[in-house]
Amino acid sequence: GAVVSQHPSRVICKSGTSVKIECRSLDFQATTMFWYRQFPKQSLMLMATSNEGSKATYEQGVEKDKFLINHASLTLSTLTVTSAHPEDSSFYICSARAGLVGGRGEQFFGPGTRLTVL
Amino acid sequence: QKEVEQDPGPLSVPEGAIVSLNCTYSNSAFQYFMWYRQYSRKGPELLMYTYSSGNKEDGRFTAQVDKSSKYISLFIRDSQPSDSATYLCAMSAINFNKFYFGSGTKLNVKP
């Protein structure tokens, strides 16, 4: 299957600082990338969908100004958590999807980034 | 009502058992159905991908979709301790704009 990487895998930061998480598709071009948040023992919560070269579409209740998403190329999307607070501590996972030619639109997930805000 | 319902478990079985994992859904527009496996503190890994109704087999894994009942299943034959993980079902409509995930079932296969 396709490989998606995330960096960093773990980050600890102080309250009020900003944190950037990178998501890369290593062996395919991702026309669409998704950012999820996962709390312990819970399922994935979609935060936003981003298409290369256009603004991200955020899910209801997700603050656009707090969670900045950039999808500047077909292989890279970044999520920046601005002015992080302890309640932002979570497991952030990205996924990437290739084009829909042929009808296969499955998402391939990165390994996740564990953010801890002190 | 949630779009996708999945029993969170945990489900504990002995090694070698046949495991049945299930999800129900309410949106008749769903056409694509997927099963992901997630180990602790890792990202989900795609296991099975099916379109519309029917069965699909891949090694020890069999995915079934019954669109008339809005019910999907994943069967694991000859379960192994390494199968211990959380299994997430996911589904989408034909446009793939959004995936809808179940809450995940935690499976523990005891040696």
Side-chain angles (χ1 to χ4, degrees):
Chain A
V3 180
V4 176
S5 70
Q6 262 182 261
H7 178 79
S9 58
R10 181 175 295 186
V11 58
I12 300 172
C13 68
K14 292 182 179 178
S15 186
T17 60
S18 293
V19 175
K20 180 184 282 189
I21 302 170
E22 290 188 349
C23 177
R24 292 180 185 273
S25 58
L26 299 184
D27 52 2
F28 69 102
Q29 293 187 324
T31 54
T32 306
M33 287 186 169
F34 304 84
W35 286 95
Y36 294 85
R37 187 171 177 176
Q38 187 175 36
F39 291 104
K41 299 183 180 180
Q42 293 188 27
S43 190
L44 303 167
M45 182 190 81
L46 179 65
M47 298 174 66
T49 302
S50 73
N51 292 295
E52 185 264 339
S54 56
K55 289 184 178 180
T57 302
Y58 290 79
E59 293 298 300
Q60 191 173 8
V62 179
E63 298 176 57
K64 299 179 184 182
D65 295 332
K66 181 165 186 63
F67 299 99
L68 301 178
I69 291 172
N70 183 281
H71 191 166
S73 77
L74 285 172
T75 59
L76 173 64
S77 176
T78 60
L79 167 68
T80 301
V81 183
T82 62
S83 187
H85 288 97
E87 57 266 30
D88 298 324
S89 299
S90 189
F91 193 51
Y92 292 87
I93 310 176
C94 72
S95 72
R97 187 181 76 196
L100 298 181
V101 175
R104 293 191 68 92
E106 65 264 46
Q107 296 180 26
F108 297 96
F109 285 84
T113 296
R114 183 159 302 280
L115 170 64
T116 302
V117 185
L118 302 175
Chain B
Q1 183 186 7
K2 288 183 183 178
E3 297 269 8
V4 181
E5 299 277 0
Q6 185 176 10
D7 187 337
L11 179 62
S12 188
V13 301
E15 183 175 354
I18 297 174
V19 175
S20 173
L21 304 166
N22 311 293
C23 288
T24 59
Y25 62 95
S26 56
N27 191 339
S28 58
F30 291 150
Q31 296 283 342
Y32 293 92
F33 305 91
M34 288 134 291
W35 285 95
Y36 287 85
R37 177 174 62 194
Q38 186 177 23
Y39 292 110
S40 182
R41 303 191 178 197
K42 301 290 185 184
E45 169 196 8
L46 181 65
L47 277 180
M48 300 288 284
Y49 175 102
T50 53
Y51 169 68
S52 195
S53 284
N55 294 357
K56 185 173 183 179
E57 187 174 322
D58 184 0
R60 295 185 296 112
F61 299 90
T62 300
Q64 284 187 353
V65 175
D66 182 350
K67 290 188 68 182
S68 62
S69 302
K70 296 189 177 67
Y71 187 89
I72 69 170
S73 300
L74 176 70
F75 297 97
I76 307 175
R77 291 185 298 280
D78 187 26
S79 56
Q80 303 294 310
S82 58
D83 295 328
S84 298
T86 296
Y87 290 80
L88 296 155
C89 64
M91 44 200 81
S92 76
I94 201 162
N95 57 14
F96 291 109
N97 279 351
K98 186 173 177 179
F99 276 27
Y100 294 83
F101 286 87
S103 56
T105 300
K106 186 173 174 62
L107 171 67
N108 180 32
V109 180
K110 298 175 291 184

